[in-house]
C-alpha cells in the first residue's frame, strides 16, 4: 500500500531553490547539428547553478580565466 502524499511530505518551490543554491547543481549537455549524416556543428554546454557564497566556499571561478 502506498502512503498518500501529504502537504508536509512535499517540498515547495522555495525550499527546492534554497537547497539547489546551497548545494549547487551542474547540468551538462551536448548538441550536434548534422545534415545528411554529416556533423556540421557541435555544441558542448555546462551550466553551474549555485549561490555566490557556495561558489566562494568551493573556490569556483565565475569569470573565465585570461589566456596568456
Amino acid at each position: 500500500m502506498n502512503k498518500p502524499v501529504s502537504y508536509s511530505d512535499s517540498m515547495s518551490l522555495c525550499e527546492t531553490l534554497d537547497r539547489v543554491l546551497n548545494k549547487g547543481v551542474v547540468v551538462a549537455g551536448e548538441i550536434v547539428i548534422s545534415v545528411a549524416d554529416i556533423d556540421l556543428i557541435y555544441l558542448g554546454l555546462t551550466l553551474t547553478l549555485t549561490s555566490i557564497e557556495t561558489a566562494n566556499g568551493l573556490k569556483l571561478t565565475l569569470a573565465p580565466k585570461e589566456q596568456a
Side-chain angles (χ1 to χ4, degrees):
M1 297 181 127
N2 291 336
K3 178 183 163 191
V5 177
S6 67
Y7 181 76
S8 62
D9 290 341
S10 63
M11 289 179 49
S12 70
L13 180 60
C14 184
E15 289 172 326
T16 304
L17 185 59
D18 184 51
R19 285 187 183 197
V20 166
L21 291 177
N22 283 332
K23 299 291 182 177
V25 170
V26 176
V27 178
E30 298 177 343
I31 297 173
V32 177
I33 298 174
S34 60
V35 174
D37 290 331
I38 299 173
D39 295 342
L40 300 176
I41 298 173
Y42 170 81
L43 182 62
L45 303 170
T46 303
L47 171 72
T48 304
L49 177 63
T50 188
S51 67
I52 299 296
E53 184 177 325
T54 302
N56 287 337
L58 297 173
K59 306 289 190 224
L60 294 176
T61 55
L62 300 177
K65 293 183 180 179
E66 294 181 18
Q67 297 292 327

